[in-house]
Amino acid sequence: MTDKTPIAILISGRGSNMAALIEASRAADCPYEVILVASNDPEAAGLDHARAAGIATFAHSHKGLKRGEFDAIIDAALREAGVRFVALAGYMRILSEGFIAGWEGRIVNIHPSLLPKYKGLDTHQRAIEAGDAEGGCSVHVVTPELDDGEVIAQARVPILPGDTPETLADRVLIEEHRLYPDALAAYIRSHG
Ligand code: GRF
């Protein structure tokens, strides 16, 4: 038995942030335990990593389903598992209002920009094209407006001459892996 807060991570792809959250959760003083990794893509590479780490997985394709129908399937899986908080980590689905309402204040996301700048996609390219001196990442609470909820924590990296979206993404990703576990732990400690 553990007295850690049970969480799920939702992924759609490689799951490197998921891996960072799982790794951090092993520390005795980490307030959360990852009890489920769920994905809308049964082929997501992160699912293999989660299974190898001994974590239960749930995969169901969203294809052919209405947004609300699909979210109800995910919601049921989370509730059946006994999840209390949900961490989005490269989850490429916009969540329905109904789903978010059922988890109000208990879903967090990591976004690869210094919010409120560059909500949505292609964040690094947009930061470079704007001539910004810095890029970065933000951990925020999920609300029905895309990438709009309260920002819990941010990390900044300089944008260097010659940076491409890929080189900038690589440097920001290193910061994501540092930022997300600590920000999620702090959030759960204060809201758990
Ligand atoms: C990360 O850059 C994250 O900020 C964004 O999607 C990417 C996911 O990468 N939301 P990974 O699947 O965690 O490796």
Side-chain angles (χ1 to χ4, degrees), residues 13-18 89-92 109-112 173 176-177:
R14 69 188 163 183
S16 71
N17 278 288
M18 173 210 75
Y91 188 62
M92 300 305 287
N109 180 40
I110 187 152
H111 182 74
L173 192 64
E176 292 184 37
H177 297 163

Side-chain angles (χ1 to χ4, degrees), residues 60-83:
H60 198 296
S61 174
H62 62 276
K63 288 180 187 160
L65 293 173
K66 295 196 176 111
R67 190 175 302 282
E69 287 170 354
F70 176 71
D71 283 358
I73 291 169
I74 296 290
D75 187 74
L78 300 180
R79 294 189 189 281
E80 160 122 19
V83 165

Side-chain angles (χ1 to χ4, degrees), residues 3 9 21 35 41 47 50 76 82 93 103 107 114 125 173:
D3 56 3
I9 305 174
L21 293 175
I35 63 163
D41 180 356
L47 290 170
R93 301 281 306 159
W103 293 90
I107 312 173
L114 295 171
Q125 184 176 342
L173 192 64

Side-chain angles (χ1 to χ4, degrees), residues 92-158:
M92 300 305 287
R93 301 281 306 159
I94 293 176
L95 294 167
S96 56
E97 279 194 35
F99 181 94
I100 294 172
W103 293 90
E104 194 179 351
R106 291 186 293 139
I107 312 173
V108 296
N109 180 40
I110 187 152
H111 182 74
S113 79
L114 295 171
L115 291 172
K117 280 187 157 182
Y118 312 128
K119 299 172 181 178
L121 299 175
D122 302 324
T123 56
H124 302 306
Q125 184 176 342
R126 290 153 69 197
I128 291 169
E129 283 173 4
D132 291 358
E134 291 183 315
C137 50
S138 306
V139 177
H140 68 95
V141 180
V142 172
T143 59
E145 285 291 309
L146 183 67
D147 299 329
D148 192 60
E150 177 198 354
V151 173
I152 303 166
Q154 288 185 318
R156 298 169 177 274
V157 305

